[in-house]
Amino acid sequence: MAKKLMKGCEAIGEAAIQAGCRLFFGYPITPQNEIPEYMSARLPQVGGTFVQAESEVAAINMLYGAAGAGCRAFTSSSSPGISLMMEGISYIAGAELPVVLVNIMRGGPGLGGILPSQSDYFQATKGGGHGDYRLLVLAPSTVQEAADLMIDAFDMADQYRNPVMILGDGLIGQMMEPVEFKRGIKPEDLPHKSWATTGAKGRKPNIINSLHLNPEELERHNWDLYKKYQQMQKEVRHDTYNTGENVDVLIVAYGTVARIARTAIDSLTPKGHKVGLFRPITLYPFPSEALIAAAQKAKKVLVAELSTGQMVEDVRSHIAHLRPVDFYGRAGGMVMGAEELADRVEKLIAG
Amino acid sequence: MPKPIIEKDRCKGCELCISACPEKVLALSQEINAKGYFFPVIVQPDACTGCRYCLIMCPDTAIQVENKGKTTARSVALTQKPFSYCPGCTHGVIHRLVAEAIEGLGVQDRTVGIAPVGCSVLAYEFFACDMQQASHGRAMAVATGIKRGRPDLTVFTYQGDGDLASIGMAETVHAANRGEKITVIFVNNAIYGMTGGQMAPTTLPGQVASTCPTGRDVKLAGYPIRVVELLKELKTPAYLTRVSVHDPKAILAAKKSIRKAFEYQLKGTCFSLVEVLSTCPTNWGQTPKEACDWLKDNMIPYYPIREFKIPEAEEGDAHVQ
Amino acid sequence: MYNEIVMAGFGGQGVLLIGKLLAYAGMKSGLEVTWMPSYGPEMRGGTCNCTVVLSDRQIGSPISQHPHGLIVLNLPSLDKFENSVRKDGVIIVNTSLINRMPHRTDITAVPVPSNEVALEAGSNKAANMVALGAFLGATGLLEMTSIREVLEETFAAKPKLISINHACLSKGYEIGLARKPAQAAQ
C-alpha cells in the first residue's frame, strides 16, 4: 500500500481495520473524535459495526462483552473519558480479556482542557482502576508508529489476554504525517479463542468473570496475573537517538516530547554539546535495563514530560543511584518548544 | 419614534435580527466590527414599530430597543462577557430567557446554576449567579447535592442533549423520579456541537452527523429519544414542557415556560424540566436563518411543542409533597 | 533542506487546506512532512492556524517556535506570528484584509492582495490559493507541478473548482516570484 497523508487518529482507526478488528464502541470527546468518525464511515465498508455508545461507561462494557465473545474490538477516548472507563478496565483486566484502548491525552485534572498532555502516565502504567492489575502501555511518537503499534496491540492483547493501551496525546492524534500499512490481517485468519463465550456447543460452558469470593482462589488469581505481567516484560521496547558515545546529557522522553527532544538535540550538536535521547516505547513494561545502560554513558539525565512529573518517578527508581536526574515539564496543554528544551539542556550542562 | 440600539461589537453577524424584523428596519453593514463580522445597521428608521423582535431573536444580546423614552436593558443576571457560541446559535437566546426569569423572580442572589459538558460548558462565565461546573451528564446529581444540602436555594441545571439524554440519562431519570425540587433547562439541538457534530440521542432519522455520515439509521441507532414524553411516564415529576426558540413568537412562549419552571421550584413543587428546541447552524451546515427554518420544519413535527405535565392538573396527587 | 511554515487566518479562509496541499506535495516530492493544526478553543469563529514542516530527514518537532515561512490571511494572525519568524524568513501578507505590512526589516515581506486577485480570477473563496502560490513563488520551496498534482487529487470530487484554483495559484506564484529574495530560504 502506498504512503498516505493521514491524521494520527485516522491512522489509528485504519490500523485497527488492518488488524482485523471489526468492532468499535466509543463516545465523542476532543481531541480524538476523528477516531469514532473514521470508524463510523470505514467499518460498514468492511462488514464491521460501529456503535456510538451513550457514555464511556457503556462503551467499555460493550468492549467487555465483545472481547468476552472472542471478537477483536477497541475503544478510544481522551483523558476524562478514560477515567470514566476505569471500572470497566479493571473488570476487563480481572476477567483477562484482550482489548485495545486508545487514550489521546489532554490536560487535566477534571474537565481540564483539550490540548496535548502526558498527565495520564500514572493512570495508564500503575493500574488506574481498582485492584492489582497492569495494562500493556504503548507510546507512539509518530503517526506511522501509532499505526504500527495499533496493529501490534491487538496481537499482544490476544497473546496475553490483557488490555493494551495506546497512550498518545492531542498532538499525535491531530497531526498528519505520511503513513503506510505494511501488515493486513483478515478477521477469518485470527486464532480461535477457546475460552470465549461463543456458545457451548460440544463443550462445557465458558464463563467470563472477575468475581472470586474465595480469598485463596482470588489470591491465586492475583499471583497468576502477576506472573503474566512478569512475562510481559519481554515486550519492552525503546528507541535511542544520538546515544552512540558518551553524552553530556541524556534526555528521557516519550511520545510527542521525544520528537521535540530530537529537534533540540539537532540544534545542540553543532554547538559541540553531546546530547542523546532515550525514548521508552513501552511505558509498561518499562525498559529499565536499556535505560540503565544508556544512563551509564551519560553524565546527567533530564526527563522531559508534558506533566508536572510522572514518568520521572520511574526513571528515578531505576537510575537515581547512578546519575543525577533532572526534570523539565510543561502542563495543562502547553507544549514545550524545541528551543526551550535545548535551553534547559544547556543550563544543565553548564550548571 | 422607537428604535433598535445595536451594540455592534457584541454582534456575530448572524442576521437573525434582520430576518426577524417584520418592517425591514435593519440591513447588514458594509464594515466589519472588532470581531471581524458584518453587523446590522438601521436602514429604515421610520419603519420601526418597537415590536422588539430584533432584540428577542438576537442570540448575543447585542440589541436593545428604545421606545417612548424608555430603553430595554440587558438582564443583570447575565455577566458582561460575550457568549462563546457560534454565530446564530440559539443558546444565547436561551441564556437570556433563563437570566430574565432569575432576575424577574428576584432570586439572583440565592440561585445556583450547574453548567454541563458540551457547548454550554462555559455557562458559568455567563450567568451572574453562583455556578458549579459538573462532569459530563452528572449535572442533576450535582444539583441534587446542592438542593438537599441547602433547600432554600434556587437550583437549576443547563444541559444539552448529549449531556442530559445520552451519558446523563440515568441521572436524568432518577432526579426526575425522586422529584428533586430543581429546574432543568434541557437544550435539544439534535447534535453534539462542542465536539464537532457527532450523532446525538436526539438526532433525527436520516439526519447526517459526523458519526452517522449517511444519516441516522434507526435500525442501528434507534429512533431519537423524546425526553419529555419519556419522563412523563414517571409519576413524580411535576412540570414537563417543550418549547422552541426558532422565531420571536416561539421565544416569547418559551420565556413564559422557563419562568413557570422556576416559579414551581420556588413554590416547593417538585422537579420541573423545560426542553428547548435549539439550533446548531455550524454543525447542521446551515445559515442561522436556515437552521431556524429547519428546526421548525423538521424538529417540531417529531418533538411537539406543548406542556406535557403541569402540577395543577394533578393537585392532591400523592407525588406533590 | 529543513523548513517550517506557519499558515494562519480566520476559520473558513482555508488555511488548513493550503497547509495540507503543501504537506501532501512535499510528501509527493519525496520529503518527510508533518502537518499540525491548531485545535484549541479559538476554533469557533476565531482564528486558526497550522504548521507544516518539510525536511529531507526525519522530522522531530511538528510545532514551530520560529518558522522560516509565514502566510497570514488576516491581521490578528500577522500580529500574533510576525515576531516569531526567523531572520531572513518570508512573510506572505494578505493585503486585502491586512492594512499594514510587517514592522520587521530582517525578513522578506510579500504583499499579496489575495482576495482581489481571487475575485478577478472568478472566485470569492480561493484567496488562500493565491497566497500559497505567492509563497511558492517567493521561496521556490517546491515545484509548482507537485502542488498542481495534489490540487487535482484533492479536488477530484469537485472538478469545477480545479481550473479556478490553478488560476489562483498561478497568479499568486507570479506575484511571489517577482518578490523572490536573492537567496530564498531553502
Side-chain angles (χ1 to χ4, degrees):
Chain A
M1 205 185 279
K3 275 194 179 180
K4 281 177 77 177
L5 196 58
M6 289 180 106
K7 271 193 171 191
C9 282
E10 295 165 349
I12 284 169
E14 183 57 32
I17 302 276
Q18 296 300 325
C21 171
R22 294 294 179 268
L23 281 170
F24 178 90
F25 310 102
Y27 186 82
I29 183 167
T30 307
Q32 63 80 56
N33 290 306
E34 292 82 353
I35 299 176
E37 287 170 1
Y38 187 87
M39 298 317 277
S40 73
R42 187 75 173 94
L43 276 167
Q45 296 170 0
V46 291
T49 300
F50 164 87
V51 179
Q52 184 174 315
E54 69 271 29
S55 67
E56 289 88 350
V57 176
I60 194 69
N61 287 290
M62 291 174 186
L63 202 59
Y64 177 99
C71 304
R72 278 200 166 177
F74 90 106
T75 189
S76 67
S77 191
S78 179
S79 309
I82 297 287
S83 289
L84 263 180
M85 291 183 182
M86 276 302 153
E87 179 200 49
I89 294 172
S90 173
Y91 278 59
I92 285 169
E96 296 192 81
L97 297 176
V99 303
V100 174
L101 314 159
V102 178
N103 182 2
I104 303 295
M105 290 181 280
R106 58 188 248 185
L111 200 48
I114 61 171
L115 292 172
S117 170
Q118 296 181 325
S119 49
D120 303 346
Y121 178 93
F122 285 153
Q123 185 194 52
T125 61
K126 310 293 177 193
H130 65 281
D132 216 348
Y133 77 92
R134 298 296 173 132
L135 310 178
L136 242 156
V137 184
L138 309 172
S141 80
T142 67
V143 172
Q144 181 67 59
E145 192 176 38
D148 294 343
L149 289 179
M150 187 68 186
I151 298 176
D152 293 350
F154 282 98
D155 288 344
M156 289 179 182
D158 278 349
Q159 184 184 340
Y160 294 102
R161 283 186 59 184
N162 204 66
V164 180
M165 178 178 277
I166 302 283
L167 193 67
D169 60 55
L171 200 141
I172 297 285
Q174 295 297 316
M175 173 176 56
M176 282 177 108
E177 276 188 312
V179 59
E180 192 177 2
F181 296 94
K182 300 155 197 163
R183 192 153 79 90
I185 302 165
K186 293 195 184 105
E188 56 269 28
D189 294 339
L190 291 170
H192 175 67
K193 293 168 181 171
S194 61
W195 47 263
T197 55
T198 53
K201 194 178 177 186
R203 60 162 168 77
K204 67 181 193 355
N206 285 334
I207 295 168
I208 302 297
N209 172 42
S210 63
L211 176 71
H212 303 275
L213 286 172
N214 177 337
E216 286 91 0
E217 183 189 306
L218 181 55
E219 186 186 38
R220 199 159 51 241
H221 178 54
N222 272 283
W223 284 116
D224 285 348
L225 289 176
Y226 175 80
K227 275 181 218 147
K228 182 169 82 173
Y229 304 146
Q230 293 304 111
Q231 281 166 14
M232 284 176 358
Q233 297 295 326
K234 67 172 181 285
E235 300 296 336
V236 286
R237 296 186 196 183
H238 74 280
D239 189 19
T240 56
Y241 181 63
N242 216 32
T243 52
E245 49 186 319
N246 290 337
V247 292
D248 300 321
V249 173
L250 179 73
I251 302 175
V252 184
Y254 69 96
T256 286
V257 180
R259 315 179 52 117
I260 292 163
R262 271 183 92 99
T263 303
I265 289 168
D266 287 345
S267 73
L268 290 165
T269 306
K271 294 183 180 175
H273 298 309
K274 289 183 188 163
V275 182
L277 169 68
F278 183 89
R279 175 171 77 88
I281 297 171
T282 52
L283 299 181
Y284 188 88
F286 194 78
S288 47
E289 283 176 29
L291 174 66
I292 290 165
Q296 278 168 340
K297 291 200 285 179
K299 285 184 193 143
K300 291 175 180 172
V301 172
L302 176 68
V303 179
E305 294 180 67
L306 299 181
S307 77
T308 53
Q310 300 197 8
M311 183 177 72
V312 66
E313 292 193 5
D314 281 341
V315 173
R316 285 198 172 117
S317 77
H318 295 300
I319 63 166
H321 61 293
L322 296 172
R323 293 291 182 274
V325 178
D326 204 354
F327 175 74
Y328 186 63
R330 295 297 302 266
M334 296 300 292
V335 178
M336 66 189 74
E339 288 158 52
E340 179 185 344
L341 183 58
D343 284 350
R344 181 63 187 230
V345 172
E346 280 191 301
K347 279 195 189 110
L348 191 60
I349 292 170
Chain B
M1 281 298 284
K3 71 167 181 189
I5 298 163
I6 296 150
E7 193 181 340
K8 71 173 184 181
D9 285 339
R10 265 192 194 279
C11 175
K12 297 195 192 114
C14 74
E15 304 181 45
L16 285 176
C17 55
I18 295 174
S19 55
C21 177
E23 308 298 334
K24 313 243 176 300
V25 173
L26 300 168
L28 221 50
S29 65
Q30 296 298 306
E31 51 175 322
I32 55 172
N33 65 8
K35 289 195 183 109
Y37 296 109
F38 296 101
F39 53 91
V41 287
I42 299 167
V43 289
Q44 294 209 60
D46 298 340
C48 182
T49 62
C51 74
R52 300 187 182 180
Y53 276 14
C54 51
L55 175 161
I56 292 165
M57 204 65 218
C58 176
D60 287 291
T61 63
I63 303 179
Q64 299 302 333
V65 175
E66 185 186 310
N67 197 3
K68 294 171 187 155
K70 281 187 186 164
T71 306
T72 58
R74 200 164 179 275
S75 172
V76 294
L78 289 172
T79 65
Q80 284 303 307
K81 191 159 179 134
F83 297 140
S84 54
Y85 305 106
C86 298
C89 167
T90 43
H91 260 304
V93 175
I94 304 165
H95 276 27
R96 177 173 66 77
L97 300 183
V98 171
E100 285 171 0
I102 292 169
E103 183 187 354
L105 293 166
V107 294
Q108 189 181 347
D109 59 359
R110 53 189 171 99
T111 293
V112 180
I114 294 103
V117 170
C119 286
S120 47
V121 62
L122 294 175
Y124 59 81
E125 295 196 343
F126 307 130
F127 289 109
C129 58
D130 279 359
M131 295 289 292
Q132 293 194 14
Q133 201 285 321
S135 70
H136 197 22
R138 319 302 172 209
M140 288 187 222
V142 173
T144 299
I146 299 169
K147 189 75 183 185
R148 294 284 176 135
R150 297 190 177 276
D152 54 316
L153 294 174
T154 303
V155 180
F156 77 96
T157 72
Y158 188 103
Q159 301 173 260
D161 41 54
D163 195 84
L164 180 142
S166 188
I167 193 167
M169 190 53 118
E171 281 77 1
T172 300
V173 170
H174 288 281
N177 193 55
R178 287 192 306 267
E180 294 301 336
K181 295 181 181 63
I182 59 173
T183 299
V184 174
I185 307 298
F186 167 38
V187 180
N188 176 5
N189 63 4
I191 204 135
Y192 281 71
M194 185 62 136
T195 46
Q198 292 81 16
M199 183 182 70
T202 52
T203 294
L204 292 176
Q207 185 186 344
V208 170
S210 67
T211 49
C212 51
T214 54
R216 184 188 187 118
D217 181 348
V218 296
K219 290 198 194 88
L220 298 174
Y223 283 88
I225 298 174
R226 294 181 176 117
V227 169
V228 177
E229 286 86 336
L230 192 79
L231 295 181
K232 173 177 70 96
E233 298 306 317
L234 299 173
K235 199 162 166 55
T236 332
Y239 182 57
L240 299 170
T241 187
R242 186 183 289 119
V243 298
S244 173
V245 290
H246 66 279
D247 68 24
K249 280 185 183 144
I251 293 170
L252 289 170
K255 180 174 176 160
K256 278 187 194 150
S257 295
I258 289 172
R259 187 180 163 110
K260 248 171 138 176
F262 277 96
E263 279 170 348
Y264 286 134
Q265 182 179 170
L266 293 173
K267 280 186 208 157
T269 314
C270 73
F271 190 85
S272 58
L273 179 145
V274 184
E275 174 173 340
V276 189
L277 302 182
S278 185
T279 65
C280 182
T282 298
N283 288 301
W284 293 358
Q286 297 171 5
T287 66
K289 177 68 170 81
E290 285 167 356
C292 287
D293 294 341
W294 191 90
L295 186 164
K296 177 165 165 265
D297 296 340
N298 296 278
M299 286 183 76
I300 292 177
Y302 189 87
Y303 298 113
I305 289 177
R306 63 181 176 87
E307 286 180 329
F308 285 79
K309 206 167 180 191
I310 49 171
E312 285 85 355
E314 295 183 25
E315 218 156 273
D317 207 294
H319 78 278
V320 181
Q321 293 177 2
Chain C
M1 187 276 195
Y2 181 83
N3 225 285
E4 299 168 0
I5 308 108
V6 170
M7 281 137 280
F10 286 127
Q13 281 185 305
V15 297
L16 299 185
L17 175 66
I18 57 172
K20 279 183 195 176
L21 290 175
L22 193 61
Y24 195 18
M27 183 181 92
K28 293 245 169 187
S29 310
L31 295 170
E32 297 288 336
V33 302
T34 60
W35 172 90
M36 183 65 211
S38 63
Y39 70 96
E42 75 271 21
M43 290 286 281
R44 293 271 177 264
T47 58
C48 81
N49 68 76
C50 68
T51 303
V52 171
V53 182
L54 304 174
S55 173
D56 52 16
R57 53 179 300 198
Q58 189 181 344
I59 295 168
S61 175
I63 51 172
S64 177
Q65 283 182 298
H66 296 291
H68 303 78
L70 173 66
I71 303 174
V72 282
L73 299 185
N74 68 355
L75 181 61
S77 299
L78 180 62
D79 292 344
K80 183 173 176 186
F81 291 108
E82 176 181 348
N83 286 334
S84 71
V85 177
R86 253 171 234 229
K87 186 174 171 294
D88 300 324
V90 171
I91 305 183
I92 305 296
V93 182
N94 176 19
T95 52
S96 302
L97 296 180
I98 302 174
N99 57 8
R100 74 169 180 92
M101 286 303 284
H103 306 302
R104 298 266 301 270
T105 54
D106 59 344
I107 50 96
T108 302
V110 182
V112 186
S114 309
N115 294 62
E116 280 93 340
V117 173
L119 270 176
E120 276 168 33
S123 168
N124 60 358
K125 293 215 166 138
N128 58 341
M129 292 295 167
V130 177
L132 176 63
F135 177 73
L136 291 170
T139 60
L141 205 54
L142 294 173
E143 295 293 332
M144 282 295 275
T145 47
S146 62
I147 286 281
R148 293 194 185 285
E149 195 184 319
V150 301
L151 188 146
E152 286 181 19
E153 276 184 41
T154 306
F155 285 96
K158 299 171 187 167
K160 281 182 193 163
L161 297 176
I162 293 177
S163 66
I164 193 107
N165 279 303
H166 273 314
C168 289
L169 263 178
S170 301
K171 286 190 179 257
Y173 183 81
E174 285 160 28
I175 296 170
L177 192 62
R179 295 279 189 141
K180 189 174 180 175
Q183 67 273 20
Q186 285 288 340

